[in-house]
Amino acid sequence: MSINRRDFLKMTVAGIAVGAFPGIAIAGSELLKKKGQRVVIVGGGFGGATAAKYIRDWSKNKIEVVLIERNAMFISCPMSNTVLGGSRTINDLTRSYDALKKKHGVKLVQGEVTAIDPEKQTVMLANGHLSYDRLIVAPGVDFMFDQIEGLDAKVADTSIPHAWKAGTQTVALRKQMESMVDGGVFAISIPKAPYRCPPGPYERACQVAHYLKNNKPKSKVLILDANPDITSKKGLFMAAWNELYPGMVEYRPNAAVLKVDVAGKIAKTEFDDVKADVLNIIPPMKAGAVASMAGVVGADGRWCAVDFITYESKVHKNIHVIGDAVAAALPKSGHMATSQAKICAAAVVEMLQGKSPDQNPAIVNTCYSMVSNTEAVHVANVFRFNTEKQAMVSADGGGVSGKRSAEEGAFANFWLNTILDDVLG
Amino acid sequence: MKKRIIFALTCAVAMALPVFDAQAEVDKHARNLAGSCAACHGTNGSNKSGMPILAGMDKALFVTALKEFKSGARPATVMQHHAKGYTDEEFELLADFFAAQKISKKH
């Protein structure tokens, strides 16, 4: 396998408005000369990076894989709440894409997709285009800022971070917490399900409480949940709040934030105005913008319907969708994205080789949540393809930890290192 | 063997595809099932993080472990929730797959 030193193309980001196909102009020239079969993957998160590696490996390096990713480095969203608690830094969660390039021969293009033409099977970037035999869209989530009056992407970047993608906002939120007065209120607003990482907001409440308990013990964590109840690991989170952080965590169900007063740090629900010292609004989510460019978003305007044997879009042939963007009764998690990516990778290889994909997929999801700096809890399920329903259905026997433990805290750390090696190593 | 033939037939009928190599297809099914285990046990069952290594694991020990996780006879933090989602036939497929893997030092 030869590695082209110039396969890593640096691209400038241009904020070009996206035209709807048909009639998209093919931008510039072909960025990488296409010789054989090519899969283009947009999005180098857990799902996209896994698909890239496994298509290379399972095709014995015969299929060319081009991975388009806007960021230079991979930052793990799983476990990023521990940056708030203080047991990790953002650097501990940051990895490079080098092994994908050097060990697996994936061609990495750092850049921003501007349009996709499903008929001409072409992806447009600011300075040229890439044609494909099959496209995998792995865009993760975008935020629906318009659902909350007063909030937008700039406000999130500058004063009210969602920190729901790990990175600068995670660090910004930690800094806001560090400069909060003792006796202050840290408010977390949770959107209606489905959203990325179901147990994540409750884990975040634990991590914030852990920091506050040790540093600003008169402070409070206030959870404003748009859902009627805790959506994941309810008993375990309530036990952690009551036993580890007694009196510090207040939970309010049916409390969707509709409006924010940015300067006053006030979150407005249907019933209350809540004044906070640190305001962490996690907005409702939908499939990342690339899914709309590909025209694979469903009638709900949010998620993408797929065939669960191949993850091929129900709208366009030769376009597959994996990860958080998929419409399914599957948790939107990093592990789930990798599990889907492998089934998709296997199917893509089979289909390009003119064979039939695996008709009976079964996949796993596990989410560990750190409830303190040392103790964790999990939820784990196997999901099997159900032919009648043409859907992935949770198998019997899945469930949550009996109790929180340091043993699972250790396993959670092992899990992070192992999954990052599996995805990027 | 019976399952392989049924599986191949199902695919051939359902997809109206030409008959293909049943043996190769079953191996890929096992590989695909094993794919989900890699998040914890590493690519092809090798990891350097501290999780149990499955690559090269004796088939009988592997199957016994999963059956005991499933029945509850063997204490576990998380494996009971995975083992209960698979059939005994799938334990065999997974055991064959992992037994055939070499331990990778890189993972």
PDB file of all heavy atoms in Angstrom, chain A residues 336-354:
ATOM      1  N   MET A 336     -22.392   3.254  19.728  1.00  0.00           N
ATOM      2  CA  MET A 336     -23.412   2.893  18.736  1.00  0.00           C
ATOM      3  C   MET A 336     -22.966   3.305  17.337  1.00  0.00           C
ATOM      4  O   MET A 336     -23.142   2.558  16.371  1.00  0.00           O
ATOM      5  CB  MET A 336     -24.742   3.553  19.112  1.00  0.00           C
ATOM      6  CG  MET A 336     -25.876   3.334  18.135  1.00  0.00           C
ATOM      7  SD  MET A 336     -26.120   1.631  17.592  1.00  0.00           S
ATOM      8  CE  MET A 336     -26.778   0.845  19.057  1.00  0.00           C
ATOM      9  N   ALA A 337     -22.369   4.497  17.223  1.00  0.00           N
ATOM     10  CA  ALA A 337     -21.904   4.961  15.907  1.00  0.00           C
ATOM     11  C   ALA A 337     -20.867   3.986  15.340  1.00  0.00           C
ATOM     12  O   ALA A 337     -20.891   3.663  14.154  1.00  0.00           O
ATOM     13  CB  ALA A 337     -21.329   6.369  16.009  1.00  0.00           C
ATOM     14  N   THR A 338     -19.963   3.501  16.201  1.00  0.00           N
ATOM     15  CA  THR A 338     -18.938   2.558  15.706  1.00  0.00           C
ATOM     16  C   THR A 338     -19.572   1.224  15.328  1.00  0.00           C
ATOM     17  O   THR A 338     -19.173   0.593  14.353  1.00  0.00           O
ATOM     18  CB  THR A 338     -17.817   2.295  16.730  1.00  0.00           C
ATOM     19  OG1 THR A 338     -18.352   1.606  17.867  1.00  0.00           O
ATOM     20  CG2 THR A 338     -17.147   3.570  17.178  1.00  0.00           C
ATOM     21  N   SER A 339     -20.565   0.791  16.100  1.00  0.00           N
ATOM     22  CA  SER A 339     -21.236  -0.482  15.800  1.00  0.00           C
ATOM     23  C   SER A 339     -21.955  -0.393  14.456  1.00  0.00           C
ATOM     24  O   SER A 339     -21.867  -1.303  13.623  1.00  0.00           O
ATOM     25  CB  SER A 339     -22.231  -0.838  16.911  1.00  0.00           C
ATOM     26  OG  SER A 339     -21.542  -1.131  18.115  1.00  0.00           O
ATOM     27  N   GLN A 340     -22.667   0.714  14.229  1.00  0.00           N
ATOM     28  CA  GLN A 340     -23.340   0.913  12.944  1.00  0.00           C
ATOM     29  C   GLN A 340     -22.317   1.010  11.813  1.00  0.00           C
ATOM     30  O   GLN A 340     -22.514   0.449  10.727  1.00  0.00           O
ATOM     31  CB  GLN A 340     -24.157   2.208  12.964  1.00  0.00           C
ATOM     32  CG  GLN A 340     -25.339   2.197  13.911  1.00  0.00           C
ATOM     33  CD  GLN A 340     -26.085   3.535  13.889  1.00  0.00           C
ATOM     34  OE1 GLN A 340     -25.685   4.472  13.207  1.00  0.00           O
ATOM     35  NE2 GLN A 340     -27.175   3.605  14.636  1.00  0.00           N
ATOM     36  N   ALA A 341     -21.222   1.717  12.083  1.00  0.00           N
ATOM     37  CA  ALA A 341     -20.203   1.950  11.050  1.00  0.00           C
ATOM     38  C   ALA A 341     -19.637   0.628  10.531  1.00  0.00           C
ATOM     39  O   ALA A 341     -19.343   0.490   9.341  1.00  0.00           O
ATOM     40  CB  ALA A 341     -19.076   2.817  11.608  1.00  0.00           C
ATOM     41  N   LYS A 342     -19.489  -0.343  11.429  1.00  0.00           N
ATOM     42  CA  LYS A 342     -18.908  -1.626  11.007  1.00  0.00           C
ATOM     43  C   LYS A 342     -19.874  -2.413  10.127  1.00  0.00           C
ATOM     44  O   LYS A 342     -19.457  -3.022   9.139  1.00  0.00           O
ATOM     45  CB  LYS A 342     -18.485  -2.433  12.231  1.00  0.00           C
ATOM     46  CG  LYS A 342     -17.261  -1.828  12.899  1.00  0.00           C
ATOM     47  CD  LYS A 342     -16.956  -2.448  14.242  1.00  0.00           C
ATOM     48  CE  LYS A 342     -15.881  -1.620  14.940  1.00  0.00           C
ATOM     49  NZ  LYS A 342     -15.614  -2.107  16.310  1.00  0.00           N
ATOM     50  N   ILE A 343     -21.159  -2.382  10.482  1.00  0.00           N
ATOM     51  CA  ILE A 343     -22.157  -3.066   9.640  1.00  0.00           C
ATOM     52  C   ILE A 343     -22.212  -2.374   8.278  1.00  0.00           C
ATOM     53  O   ILE A 343     -22.239  -3.028   7.222  1.00  0.00           O
ATOM     54  CB  ILE A 343     -23.545  -3.054  10.326  1.00  0.00           C
ATOM     55  CG1 ILE A 343     -23.488  -3.796  11.674  1.00  0.00           C
ATOM     56  CG2 ILE A 343     -24.607  -3.672   9.412  1.00  0.00           C
ATOM     57  CD1 ILE A 343     -23.048  -5.234  11.620  1.00  0.00           C
ATOM     58  N   CYS A 344     -22.182  -1.052   8.301  1.00  0.00           N
ATOM     59  CA  CYS A 344     -22.195  -0.281   7.054  1.00  0.00           C
ATOM     60  C   CYS A 344     -20.936  -0.570   6.237  1.00  0.00           C
ATOM     61  O   CYS A 344     -21.019  -0.824   5.025  1.00  0.00           O
ATOM     62  CB  CYS A 344     -22.302   1.211   7.380  1.00  0.00           C
ATOM     63  SG  CYS A 344     -22.208   2.288   5.948  1.00  0.00           S
ATOM     64  N   ALA A 345     -19.777  -0.576   6.879  1.00  0.00           N
ATOM     65  CA  ALA A 345     -18.507  -0.838   6.177  1.00  0.00           C
ATOM     66  C   ALA A 345     -18.537  -2.213   5.521  1.00  0.00           C
ATOM     67  O   ALA A 345     -18.168  -2.369   4.352  1.00  0.00           O
ATOM     68  CB  ALA A 345     -17.334  -0.746   7.155  1.00  0.00           C
ATOM     69  N   ALA A 346     -19.005  -3.212   6.278  1.00  0.00           N
ATOM     70  CA  ALA A 346     -19.069  -4.576   5.743  1.00  0.00           C
ATOM     71  C   ALA A 346     -19.983  -4.608   4.522  1.00  0.00           C
ATOM     72  O   ALA A 346     -19.642  -5.192   3.484  1.00  0.00           O
ATOM     73  CB  ALA A 346     -19.575  -5.532   6.822  1.00  0.00           C
ATOM     74  N   ALA A 347     -21.143  -3.959   4.616  1.00  0.00           N
ATOM     75  CA  ALA A 347     -22.113  -3.970   3.519  1.00  0.00           C
ATOM     76  C   ALA A 347     -21.563  -3.241   2.294  1.00  0.00           C
ATOM     77  O   ALA A 347     -21.725  -3.706   1.159  1.00  0.00           O
ATOM     78  CB  ALA A 347     -23.425  -3.330   3.976  1.00  0.00           C
ATOM     79  N   VAL A 348     -20.903  -2.115   2.532  1.00  0.00           N
ATOM     80  CA  VAL A 348     -20.347  -1.334   1.420  1.00  0.00           C
ATOM     81  C   VAL A 348     -19.307  -2.162   0.665  1.00  0.00           C
ATOM     82  O   VAL A 348     -19.300  -2.208  -0.565  1.00  0.00           O
ATOM     83  CB  VAL A 348     -19.751  -0.001   1.946  1.00  0.00           C
ATOM     84  CG1 VAL A 348     -18.790   0.615   0.941  1.00  0.00           C
ATOM     85  CG2 VAL A 348     -20.876   0.977   2.277  1.00  0.00           C
ATOM     86  N   VAL A 349     -18.452  -2.853   1.414  1.00  0.00           N
ATOM     87  CA  VAL A 349     -17.432  -3.696   0.769  1.00  0.00           C
ATOM     88  C   VAL A 349     -18.110  -4.798  -0.041  1.00  0.00           C
ATOM     89  O   VAL A 349     -17.789  -5.011  -1.213  1.00  0.00           O
ATOM     90  CB  VAL A 349     -16.465  -4.295   1.820  1.00  0.00           C
ATOM     91  CG1 VAL A 349     -15.542  -5.333   1.179  1.00  0.00           C
ATOM     92  CG2 VAL A 349     -15.653  -3.192   2.482  1.00  0.00           C
ATOM     93  N   GLU A 350     -19.084  -5.478   0.562  1.00  0.00           N
ATOM     94  CA  GLU A 350     -19.789  -6.560  -0.151  1.00  0.00           C
ATOM     95  C   GLU A 350     -20.460  -6.029  -1.414  1.00  0.00           C
ATOM     96  O   GLU A 350     -20.352  -6.625  -2.487  1.00  0.00           O
ATOM     97  CB  GLU A 350     -20.872  -7.197   0.742  1.00  0.00           C
ATOM     98  CG  GLU A 350     -20.361  -7.845   2.024  1.00  0.00           C
ATOM     99  CD  GLU A 350     -19.491  -9.071   1.795  1.00  0.00           C
ATOM    100  OE1 GLU A 350     -19.319  -9.496   0.635  1.00  0.00           O
ATOM    101  OE2 GLU A 350     -18.967  -9.597   2.787  1.00  0.00           O
ATOM    102  N   MET A 351     -21.154  -4.911  -1.283  1.00  0.00           N
ATOM    103  CA  MET A 351     -21.915  -4.392  -2.426  1.00  0.00           C
ATOM    104  C   MET A 351     -20.986  -3.961  -3.555  1.00  0.00           C
ATOM    105  O   MET A 351     -21.273  -4.201  -4.726  1.00  0.00           O
ATOM    106  CB  MET A 351     -22.804  -3.228  -1.974  1.00  0.00           C
ATOM    107  CG  MET A 351     -23.970  -3.703  -1.092  1.00  0.00           C
ATOM    108  SD  MET A 351     -24.655  -2.362  -0.113  1.00  0.00           S
ATOM    109  CE  MET A 351     -26.048  -1.916  -1.120  1.00  0.00           C
ATOM    110  N   LEU A 352     -19.861  -3.334  -3.196  1.00  0.00           N
ATOM    111  CA  LEU A 352     -18.921  -2.922  -4.247  1.00  0.00           C
ATOM    112  C   LEU A 352     -18.276  -4.139  -4.911  1.00  0.00           C
ATOM    113  O   LEU A 352     -17.826  -4.069  -6.046  1.00  0.00           O
ATOM    114  CB  LEU A 352     -17.850  -1.980  -3.676  1.00  0.00           C
ATOM    115  CG  LEU A 352     -18.338  -0.558  -3.366  1.00  0.00           C
ATOM    116  CD1 LEU A 352     -17.246   0.262  -2.692  1.00  0.00           C
ATOM    117  CD2 LEU A 352     -18.822   0.159  -4.623  1.00  0.00           C
ATOM    118  N   GLN A 353     -18.251  -5.253  -4.181  1.00  0.00           N
ATOM    119  CA  GLN A 353     -17.694  -6.478  -4.755  1.00  0.00           C
ATOM    120  C   GLN A 353     -18.783  -7.361  -5.372  1.00  0.00           C
ATOM    121  O   GLN A 353     -18.536  -8.517  -5.709  1.00  0.00           O
ATOM    122  CB  GLN A 353     -16.900  -7.241  -3.685  1.00  0.00           C
ATOM    123  CG  GLN A 353     -15.666  -6.454  -3.231  1.00  0.00           C
ATOM    124  CD  GLN A 353     -14.884  -7.140  -2.125  1.00  0.00           C
ATOM    125  OE1 GLN A 353     -15.343  -8.114  -1.537  1.00  0.00           O
ATOM    126  NE2 GLN A 353     -13.700  -6.623  -1.840  1.00  0.00           N
ATOM    127  N   GLY A 354     -20.002  -6.828  -5.460  1.00  0.00           N
ATOM    128  CA  GLY A 354     -21.093  -7.554  -6.107  1.00  0.00           C
ATOM    129  C   GLY A 354     -21.635  -8.710  -5.301  1.00  0.00           C
ATOM    130  O   GLY A 354     -22.235  -9.635  -5.843  1.00  0.00           O
TER     131      GLY A 354
END
